[in-house]
Amino acid sequence: MPLRLPPLALAVALAASTPASADSTTLLRPPATAPVTIPGSTLEQGDALTNGQVLMRRMVDVRAGRPRLVTLTCPAGTRHAGLGIFDDARVGFAVIGRGSYLGRRTLRLHAFAAPKTRRGTLVRASLFALCEAPIRAR
């Protein structure tokens, strides 16, 4: 009988070795209130989300001097309608690709530490993506 414990132990060890600072995603749905304003949309800080809206909050860790790629995918049936970040965030972002990301389900962006952050410093911030159900023509 072959010994199966070592592969299981290895899998558990690898799962447990994920850093505590790994990115995490939370979805806020109606009637939750928006913690930030989403520029270019009608959603302002403190507004209740309405039917068809989902606000995705992605916690991102970035080391100064080493920008990283982040992919944000809206839940099925919704599309990107805007991006936001807290005013005091120490992380910025730039959308990758040509044209507008609005109306797309998935977008990629570069996340980077704010200017004047000491090189090598690890910073963490929340990126927000407003996802909305497309308006259907009647």
Side-chain angles (χ1 to χ4, degrees):
M1 179 163 131
L3 187 59
R4 296 178 192 228
L5 189 55
L8 176 61
L10 178 61
V12 169
L14 288 174
S17 68
T18 302
S21 62
D23 294 355
S24 64
T25 302
T26 305
L27 299 177
L28 302 173
R29 298 180 185 274
T33 57
V36 295
T37 295
I38 303 296
S41 77
T42 59
L43 189 64
E44 296 191 15
Q45 182 178 8
D47 288 352
L49 296 172
T50 61
N51 288 336
Q53 289 183 322
V54 177
L55 190 60
M56 179 188 320
R57 178 181 186 174
R58 176 80 178 266
M59 296 295 294
V60 178
D61 290 339
V62 181
R63 193 160 300 280
R66 294 179 32 197
R68 54 177 297 222
L69 293 175
V70 176
T71 301
L72 300 174
T73 301
C74 285
T78 64
R79 299 291 184 260
H80 283 285
L83 296 170
I85 197 161
F86 288 122
D87 290 337
D88 63 350
R90 295 184 55 206
V91 172
F93 60 88
V95 176
I96 299 170
R98 294 185 173 173
S100 176
Y101 67 90
L102 298 175
R104 296 183 187 174
R105 181 160 183 235
T106 299
L107 73 88
R108 293 179 45 185
L109 51 86
H110 284 288
F112 51 88
K116 298 185 182 178
T117 301
R118 194 176 80 232
R119 188 169 187 81
T121 301
L122 185 66
V123 293
R124 178 172 237 209
S126 296
L127 298 177
F128 291 90
L130 177 61
C131 301
E132 294 182 329
I135 298 173
R136 299 175 193 230
R138 294 180 190 200

